[in-house]
Amino acid sequence: MPSTVALSVARYRPEQESEPTFQTYEIPFRKDWVVLDALNYVKDTMDGSLSYRWSCRMGVCGSCGMKVNGTPKLTCATFLSEHMPGPIRIEPLDNFPVVRDLVVDLTDFVRKLKQVKPWIVRKEEKPLAEGEYLQTPAELEAYKQFSMCINCMLCYSACPIYGLEPSFIGPAAIALAQRYNLDSRDQGASERLKLMSEDDGIWQCTFVGECTEVCPKHVDPAGAIQQYKLSGATQWVKSLLLPWGTR
Amino acid sequence: MGYTVKADPHYTLYHPRWYRRRMSVWWWLHNRAYAFFVLREITSVFVAFTALLYLWQIRALIQGPQAYEQFLARLKTPLFLTLDTVAFLFVLFHAITWFNLTPKAMVVRMGGKRVPDWAIIGVNYAAWIVLSGAVAFLLLRG
């Protein structure tokens, strides 16, 4: 293995340039370094002006998502050695406005996430005295996979539908809606379905499937959306055949 | 100030300096998975073509033996032979990828456990083979 590697990093400094450019940093190659370590090395020793987000460096916080050689990745979980001999191209996530260098603005997602009501909706809360809502291991299993989402936005970056139709609610938000729909304690599925059946909901998805490919937590948002479509369509047929049977 | 704040991803009023990339028309050539996806979307044209061909066949059948002979003769022209071959390949591609995607949408639980993907795909293929066999039997019997 060579002793150094070139990082080609997208820079965008709005006060001095109108569109992003690439800057190359030659850094020492260490096989135990992930891309985030390399960026930290650049920021600490070579160029303190480089901007990017990170926090936990262990695949939990979901803030260090960037494109590494064209693919959306958590930079804390992507080893330099996977991309040797380089140069390694590091860019901000696609489909979001770039604030600076590798930092993108996620306001749009946060707004959409709130719309899908990612919390347990109850028609009526039971009194505290009756205790907690109990759940069997099988009931937990039904939604657990979808609850692993860390909002890292790699799926939005990989989704061409979101790129073409920015009003699309998008993979992570729909997977999280499905996470609550499948929760035995939740009663908000019909409220969520109303939003999801609209133009920007589940039917925008054409099942490209890349959201699932890039997901670092194996949430499978593409699966969640297709399952949502199936249950939505079933619900619709039921309401057509038995108008008195559904609410 | 008379501004209204719109929650729109393309809203730029207070952030004129954010850089917004526009998606290229050729986005689907940027990676193999996207190209594969677009190819799969295109199969719908050939599925529609095949369906139209069947409708045309039924119409010829209704119009009588002579019209049907004419229809069959037209199918044997090089143009239709090529079109049919291409359409067949695309429809096959469509069917296979469709079957392989079914476990994503269908979560079947039996005895508290999720039925594995290969079993759901297998049931689809089995149904395909059985139905094709039944059609072949009906056609070739006499």
Side-chain angles (χ1 to χ4, degrees):
Chain A
M1 279 286 183
S3 59
T4 63
V5 58
L7 295 185
S8 180
V9 183
R11 300 297 311 266
Y12 173 59
R13 288 146 295 195
E15 68 284 358
Q16 64 185 68
E17 56 210 356
S18 61
E19 55 184 62
T21 52
F22 280 91
Q23 190 165 347
T24 304
Y25 302 99
E26 193 79 23
I27 58 148
F29 168 73
R30 288 183 46 180
K31 79 174 192 302
D32 57 341
W33 269 7
V34 290
V35 172
L36 181 60
D37 292 322
L39 290 174
N40 283 339
Y41 177 86
V42 171
K43 180 139 180 124
D44 290 347
T45 64
M46 301 167 85
D47 185 352
S49 74
L50 182 65
S51 304
Y52 52 96
R53 285 200 189 101
W54 67 286
S55 178
C56 80
R57 56 160 181 42
M58 54 199 279
V60 175
C61 75
S63 49
C64 70
M66 296 166 211
K67 279 204 308 172
V68 179
N69 278 348
T71 309
K73 292 272 188 194
L74 285 186
T75 49
C76 69
T78 306
F79 282 89
L80 292 178
S81 56
E82 295 165 29
H83 296 279
M84 287 308 279
I88 303 175
R89 203 170 75 252
I90 304 167
E91 297 163 274
L93 291 178
D94 277 337
N95 305 334
F96 292 103
V98 181
V99 178
R100 186 178 195 87
D101 297 343
L102 301 163
V103 178
V104 292
D105 177 72
L106 304 173
T107 312
D108 182 50
F109 167 71
V110 176
R111 185 180 63 82
K112 285 169 178 165
L113 183 62
K114 211 170 145 190
Q115 280 182 340
V116 308
K117 303 191 180 172
W119 53 79
I120 288 176
V121 175
R122 298 288 302 182
K123 295 214 176 77
E124 216 171 314
E125 288 287 350
K126 67 177 183 183
L128 221 54
E130 284 179 33
E132 23 332 45
Y133 296 101
L134 296 177
Q135 207 161 44
T136 66
E139 285 169 338
L140 169 69
E141 199 50 44
Y143 68 82
K144 194 176 172 202
Q145 182 185 19
F146 300 142
S147 74
M148 304 306 282
C149 174
I150 54 171
N151 302 355
C152 66
M153 299 296 101
L154 300 195
C155 55
Y156 281 76
S157 176
C159 177
I161 309 302
Y162 180 61
L164 295 164
E165 297 285 345
S167 56
F168 175 40
I169 292 174
I174 299 181
L176 284 164
Q178 186 70 344
R179 173 249 174 275
Y180 284 92
N181 289 341
L182 296 174
D183 192 316
S184 59
R185 300 163 294 182
D186 179 85
Q187 301 173 323
S190 57
E191 286 174 42
R192 292 189 196 99
L193 186 61
K194 238 173 267 164
L195 173 78
M196 290 301 175
S197 311
E198 283 171 16
D199 288 351
D200 299 327
I202 46 178
W203 301 105
Q204 276 274 4
C205 168
T206 50
F207 204 173
V208 179
E210 276 300 281
C211 50
T212 292
E213 290 300 314
V214 300
C215 179
K217 306 303 272 188
H218 308 293
V219 170
D220 190 10
I225 301 174
Q226 309 325 307
Q227 289 159 31
Y228 212 142
K229 284 182 189 169
L230 193 63
S231 63
T234 319
Q235 198 68 28
W236 178 76
V237 172
K238 262 192 204 156
S239 69
L240 212 64
L241 297 176
L242 309 161
W244 57 91
T246 50
R247 280 152 292 112
Chain B
M1 305 247 288
Y3 296 131
T4 48
V5 178
K6 277 197 305 180
D8 174 60
H10 290 308
Y11 142 79
T12 53
L13 190 60
Y14 301 119
H15 302 284
R17 284 175 161 177
W18 283 359
Y19 180 72
R20 288 172 169 77
R21 281 155 298 184
R22 182 167 286 216
M23 243 170 115
S24 147
V25 181
W26 307 107
W27 63 269
W28 49 279
L29 288 177
H30 293 176
N31 111 19
R32 198 188 297 167
Y34 293 158
F36 190 77
F37 161 77
V38 167
L39 197 65
R40 193 184 136 64
E41 292 284 284
I42 289 172
T43 60
S44 62
V45 176
F46 295 94
V47 172
F49 169 77
T50 311
L52 286 175
L53 205 64
Y54 283 131
L55 288 177
W56 187 26
Q57 184 172 18
I58 293 170
R59 201 181 79 138
L61 205 58
I62 294 168
Q63 284 172 343
Q66 208 188 342
Y68 195 68
E69 281 303 315
Q70 218 170 25
F71 169 79
L72 287 182
R74 202 162 285 161
L75 279 194
K76 282 175 192 148
T77 57
L79 173 71
F80 270 95
L81 283 176
T82 326
L83 263 176
D84 272 353
T85 315
V86 174
F88 175 72
L89 291 175
F90 270 98
V91 171
L92 205 61
F93 177 73
H94 182 94
I96 290 169
T97 49
W98 175 259
F99 286 155
N100 293 349
L101 291 175
T102 44
K104 283 266 180 231
M106 292 181 71
V107 178
V108 185
R109 281 174 205 282
M110 277 169 87
K113 276 198 176 150
R114 190 172 165 170
V115 176
D117 288 1
W118 61 263
I120 294 180
I121 297 175
V123 168
N124 276 292
Y125 277 101
W128 188 19
I129 291 166
V130 168
L131 286 174
S132 302
V135 171
F137 175 75
L138 277 178
L139 290 178
L140 301 174
R141 171 174 64 152

